[in-house]
Amino acid sequence: MKKSLVFGATLLAAVSAGAMAARADGELILGYMMAKSGPYVSLAGTNEIAVDLAVEEINAKGGVNGKKIKVVKFDTAGDPKQATTALRRFADDDAAIAVIGPFSSSEIRTTFPVGERAGIPQMSMASSAPGLTKGFSYGFRNTTDEGIVLDQVMASIKSKNLPAASGAAAYATDDVVSKSMGTVVVPKLFEKYSVPAKGSVDFQLSAFDLSPQVSKLKEMAPDIVGLGSPPEGAVNLAKELKRQGVNTRVIGGTTIADPELPKRMDGAGETLTIGTTFFPDVNDKTKAFSAEFAKRTKAAGIARTEPNQMDAAVYDIVYLYAEAMKRGEVAGTKDKLISDRTAVRDELAKLKDFDALEGKISFKDGDAVKPIYILEVKGGKWTLLDTRMPE
């Protein structure tokens, strides 16, 4: 038993010494919580490629304040407990200045309080459940609150005089964001935009047969259906709507912003309308990023070669941290670790109109304010319906 204790203490000392050695070398350490396995892998599995690309670009231009960025990684598999373990390792053992991630809202609920106590910035690339940054000065999200995204979808539908005389909600009950969308966000927005709600249907994410739910929607005959679900739920719902001959516009937010969704729906889902924070054909910068991303994913043998909004968001997170470290004159030395972390937090909080891949980004109460691209499925592919800036 004593040998185990001695070995454990020696190992801890070695890990701590290694972290401080890295800090002494002057590298700017960023921790990265990945979700390369687990329930979010279809959306998060390619995020690492975007992170590595951003780091390579920045370091090739001389880094930040004359120092190179180094990323240490941990696959949380989307598990809140593993996310907490990762955060503590980044903060205590790796001496990271800031953390990229976590991915999901459920992870944020556990890591933001821990990160606040440790005084280390975190920035999620995907979590969009309403209100999760409230009360946290070190917690940021380079995402847009799902309620804001869907609000802009509704505003676009109204401004373009698309049919919206009645509505219904459909949502997954076993996902935090999806349930919030179906029970809170969609009903409130229907009320805001004077769309009478005819009812709602719910389902489990594992449910493949949605015929009972679609039968109810068919009886309601709404013009629009507000959907709270990951991409898999959208695919199943769209196919069943087509099978039962139900013509209604399904609307959603970033949770179903999958570049390959139109292809996965096999001809179903025409007029599906969503809000997202990235569209690859916006300008030369987005096209160049998409081309390089495709090159790297293809070389890695990854099936999906088109970047999604999480890939773009995590790429921008690296650049946002780099800008904050530059403005905050981060030293990257072990004796300045606490002040470096605080400087990054403070610079992010006051950042305005940073010219990023996704568009100009500012932060308000920890959440990114950036353009929302309203996309519609037409002819089996995403098309740009509208571009809007949240108020």
Side-chain angles (χ1 to χ4, degrees), residues 335-388:
D335 60 317
K336 297 289 187 180
L337 180 58
I338 294 175
S339 60
D340 281 350
R341 290 171 173 173
T342 302
V344 169
R345 178 200 66 179
D346 293 345
E347 292 300 330
L348 286 173
K350 61 187 181 183
L351 196 63
K352 299 294 182 184
D353 293 329
F354 177 71
D355 191 12
L357 177 68
E358 300 165 280
K360 292 190 181 298
I361 296 177
S362 303
F363 283 96
K364 182 180 180 182
D365 300 326
D367 282 340
V369 179
K370 53 188 178 181
I372 296 174
Y373 305 100
I374 312 300
L375 306 184
E376 179 184 41
V377 176
K378 274 191 176 181
K381 65 179 183 179
W382 289 119
T383 59
L384 186 62
L385 178 68
D386 200 2
T387 303
R388 306 184 68 88

Side-chain angles (χ1 to χ4, degrees), residues 119-311:
I120 183 169
Q122 301 170 69
M123 192 183 300
S124 178
M125 68 293 285
S127 164
S128 56
L132 291 187
T133 57
K134 186 176 181 180
F136 298 108
S137 65
Y138 285 90
F140 297 85
R141 298 189 296 181
N142 185 25
T143 57
T144 303
D145 186 303
E146 202 71 353
I148 296 174
V149 172
L150 201 61
D151 179 82
Q152 295 305 304
V153 173
M154 287 293 299
S156 182
I157 286 173
K158 285 288 189 176
S159 69
K160 293 183 177 296
N161 296 315
L162 298 175
S166 63
Y171 62 95
T173 57
D174 50 348
D175 174 70
V176 173
V177 179
S178 300
K179 188 174 182 180
S180 175
M181 286 279 287
T183 60
V184 180
V185 176
V186 170
K188 284 186 176 180
L189 288 175
F190 282 170
E191 183 179 355
K192 175 180 177 179
Y193 289 94
S194 301
V195 177
K198 290 193 170 184
S200 66
V201 297
D202 59 66
F203 53 89
Q204 297 284 306
L205 288 177
S206 59
F208 182 77
D209 181 13
L210 297 184
S211 56
Q213 288 86 349
V214 171
S215 293
K216 290 181 180 178
L217 290 174
K218 189 173 184 178
E219 291 178 7
M220 297 177 198
D223 288 318
I224 53 176
V225 173
L227 177 62
S229 171
E232 290 70 22
V235 171
N236 292 337
L237 181 66
K239 288 182 177 180
E240 186 59 30
L241 285 168
K242 183 180 180 182
R243 191 187 73 81
Q244 294 194 31
V246 180
N247 295 315
T248 184
R249 182 181 296 270
V250 177
I251 65 171
T254 62
T255 61
I256 54 176
D258 181 349
E260 297 192 329
L261 196 61
K263 184 191 306 180
R264 294 173 61 191
M265 292 188 297
D266 295 328
E270 287 289 298
T271 74
L272 170 66
T273 306
I274 67 166
T276 180
T277 55
F278 178 72
F279 187 57
D281 294 331
V282 170
N283 54 42
D284 290 342
K285 183 186 290 188
T286 59
K287 290 175 182 177
F289 167 77
S290 299
E292 181 62 26
F293 181 90
K295 178 182 175 182
R296 293 182 179 223
T297 49
K298 186 176 181 180
I302 298 173
R304 177 170 62 79
T305 59
E306 185 175 340
N308 63 25
Q309 70 164 35
M310 289 79 177
D311 298 316

Side-chain angles (χ1 to χ4, degrees), residues 54 57-58 61 314-324 354:
E57 290 175 349
I58 293 168
K61 296 176 182 177
V314 81
Y315 174 90
D316 277 342
I317 286 174
V318 178
Y319 272 94
L320 287 163
Y321 276 147
E323 183 68 13
F354 177 71

